[in-house]
Amino acid sequence: MNIWAVLLAAGKSSRLQNQGQVQKKQFLKYHGLPLFWHSVQTFARNPQIKGLVAAFPAKDLQQSQSEVRDLQKKRDPGIALVCVGGGALRQNSVFNAMQALPPECTHVLVHDAARPFFSPRLITSLIREFSPGLGGVIPGIECKDTIKELDGDQVLKTLPRDRLTAVQTPQFFSMQALRDAHQQALKQDFTATDDASMLEECGYRVKVIPGEEKNIKITTSEDLQVLASQEKSALPCTGLGYDVHRYGGDRPMILGGQPIPGAPGIHAHSDGDVLVHALVDAILGCLGKGDIGDLFPDTDPANENLSSMVFLSEVLAMAQAEKLELVHIDITIIAQKPKIGPHKSSIRSNLAGITGIDPGRINIKATTEEGLGFTGSGQGIKAMALVSALRHKQESAH
């Protein structure tokens, strides 16, 4: 797959402006950066994404391009970034952005800049769940309220809640299917509120996967309060992880999800990723949830030869559920052999993709023990991980 992202930041923010908010929502500041840039950074953390096309209001395009250039100088996202002018309707902006995608692009993620809180894990899930025969994959969350169909102010019927989903972005599509849907919309002169609706109208199959509760859309002035609440202070915490594996086993060495060719084999029940095991323990330390052996014991046959990235994914889901925000990761690998330096960049990229942390806040170090002790004599490898995090307040149950 050759995957690009389309970021829609060309909206008029009419509902917010009607409520007295002058600045368009995509340019509102959060943690010192405009909302749209948070989405750029999240897309950039996924190594599968080759580049991004951002659609801005056509009359403000020159100013938006200047702002993007300034942001790139200060916080280079590390991916190609193209700016285009948007259209009168959402689908016009998508169409304009599609014209700027390179010919080799085979798949595209379409996202609304007013949803700045989605995670890199959601991107990974959308891509993973795509299969031949589908036009696209989209995220949705269950409807918690009872939904009624109206005629004016009169109820026509109550819709079955178990068959409804509230749809989010980003949405992942085959480039061919998205292009076909937009061409048909132009020919037949129909409009849609999202791209998935256009594909459905044209007969394409669209799959829904679980979305994210925090992936809200900033639409009204009340939604702005969410930004303010996100800015509130939280309790800082740290977690320390430590793990050791012995050489001489039949497991190929993997560190941070990265295979290490030519390295000694590892004795392990799972895949023996000593770095990820230490990181899992560090996150569990922040959560106060014991250690990796409590959750994934080596006595359980289900864990045999299992990727340690699965362990990390599950612990990250626990962290998200408990509103633990990872801020910084510092890892030290201790081994006489192999040499870790050539693999640091790949390890950092892997960890950034799965955790959602900016690569600049993930540090990978390596050292030897100068021939001393267990690792110095070449008997095995150690890893230590220190995680800095913020524990946000849980919402009160009512």
Side-chain angles (χ1 to χ4, degrees), residues 303-349:
N303 296 328
E304 186 172 1
N305 203 29
L306 194 63
S307 169
S308 297
M309 286 299 201
V310 174
F311 303 156
L312 181 55
S313 294
E314 294 198 22
V315 171
L316 287 170
M318 292 170 57
Q320 183 176 349
E322 300 209 11
K323 298 189 180 301
L324 179 76
E325 177 189 357
L326 304 189
V327 174
H328 190 87
I329 294 174
D330 188 23
I331 290 173
T332 301
I333 303 165
I334 307 161
Q336 203 68 29
K337 56 180 180 180
K339 296 294 184 183
I340 307 300
H343 308 288
K344 285 183 179 180
S345 179
S346 297
I347 292 171
R348 181 182 293 108
S349 178

Side-chain angles (χ1 to χ4, degrees), residues 3 40-51 77-79 109 118-128 349-350 352-354 356-357 359:
I3 304 170
V40 172
Q41 291 181 317
T42 301
F43 280 120
R45 289 171 192 152
N46 189 300
Q48 291 180 270
I49 296 176
K50 307 299 183 185
I79 59 172
L109 287 144
F118 71 109
S119 76
R121 290 187 295 280
L122 181 57
I123 299 172
T124 300
S125 297
L126 290 165
I127 297 172
R128 184 180 61 240
S349 178
N350 290 345
I354 194 170
I357 296 180

Side-chain angles (χ1 to χ4, degrees), residues 57-344:
K59 65 182 183 65
D60 301 327
L61 180 58
Q62 189 172 358
Q63 179 183 343
S64 299
Q65 288 174 320
S66 177
E67 183 169 3
V68 167
R69 284 193 295 268
D70 289 343
L71 287 165
Q72 285 179 301
K73 291 176 184 176
K74 297 174 185 176
R75 295 171 176 263
D76 184 7
I79 59 172
L81 207 164
V82 179
C83 300
V84 299
L89 299 175
R90 182 187 188 278
Q91 67 194 61
N92 301 140
S93 296
V94 176
F95 185 85
N96 290 355
M98 287 167 55
Q99 310 316 304
L101 293 170
E104 61 269 22
C105 174
T106 60
H107 295 77
V108 62
L109 287 144
V110 181
H111 183 60
D112 297 318
R115 292 185 184 269
F117 302 125
F118 71 109
S119 76
R121 290 187 295 280
L122 181 57
I123 299 172
T124 300
S125 297
L126 290 165
I127 297 172
R128 184 180 61 240
E129 293 299 322
F130 187 87
S131 61
L134 288 175
V137 182
I138 64 176
I141 57 174
E142 64 179 20
C143 292
K144 298 178 181 178
D145 299 319
T146 297
I147 307 296
K148 297 183 182 291
E149 183 180 345
L150 302 180
D151 181 5
D153 60 0
Q154 300 296 307
V155 174
L156 292 181
K157 62 180 177 179
T158 300
L159 302 176
R161 191 166 58 186
D162 59 347
R163 297 185 62 188
L164 300 174
T165 187
V167 171
Q168 303 175 327
T169 65
Q171 300 181 350
F172 184 64
F173 304 106
S174 153
M175 191 66 232
Q176 184 62 54
L178 186 63
R179 187 179 290 111
D180 288 349
H182 275 267
Q183 291 291 353
Q184 289 195 45
L186 285 173
K187 290 178 183 177
Q188 300 172 18
D189 194 28
F190 70 81
T191 60
T193 55
D194 73 346
D195 297 275
S197 302
M198 298 176 69
L199 266 72
E200 296 155 22
E201 183 74 20
C202 298
Y204 285 97
R205 290 176 54 224
V206 177
K207 180 177 181 178
V208 178
I209 67 168
E212 297 177 331
E213 292 286 348
K214 70 173 185 178
N215 185 19
I216 65 165
K217 186 175 183 180
I218 305 301
T219 303
T220 67
S221 58
E222 287 76 15
D223 296 330
L224 295 178
Q225 297 174 14
V226 174
L227 292 179
S229 67
Q230 294 279 353
E231 296 279 4
K232 289 181 179 178
S233 60
L235 180 67
C237 60
T238 57
L240 177 66
Y242 174 81
D243 196 42
V244 177
H245 279 299
R246 183 161 50 96
Y247 288 162
D250 56 2
R251 303 286 194 217
M253 183 182 289
I254 297 175
L255 293 175
Q258 180 68 27
I260 310 297
I266 298 290
H267 281 288
H269 184 67
S270 65
D271 67 355
D273 192 329
V274 66
L275 184 156
V276 171
H277 293 180
L279 179 55
V280 166
D281 270 353
I283 298 170
L284 289 172
C286 292
L287 291 168
K289 297 288 187 181
D291 59 41
I292 191 170
D294 297 329
L295 271 66
F296 312 106
D298 58 12
T299 54
D300 186 348
N303 296 328
E304 186 172 1
N305 203 29
L306 194 63
S307 169
S308 297
M309 286 299 201
V310 174
F311 303 156
L312 181 55
S313 294
E314 294 198 22
V315 171
L316 287 170
M318 292 170 57
Q320 183 176 349
E322 300 209 11
K323 298 189 180 301
L324 179 76
E325 177 189 357
L326 304 189
V327 174
H328 190 87
I329 294 174
D330 188 23
I331 290 173
T332 301
I333 303 165
I334 307 161
Q336 203 68 29
K337 56 180 180 180
K339 296 294 184 183
I340 307 300
H343 308 288
K344 285 183 179 180

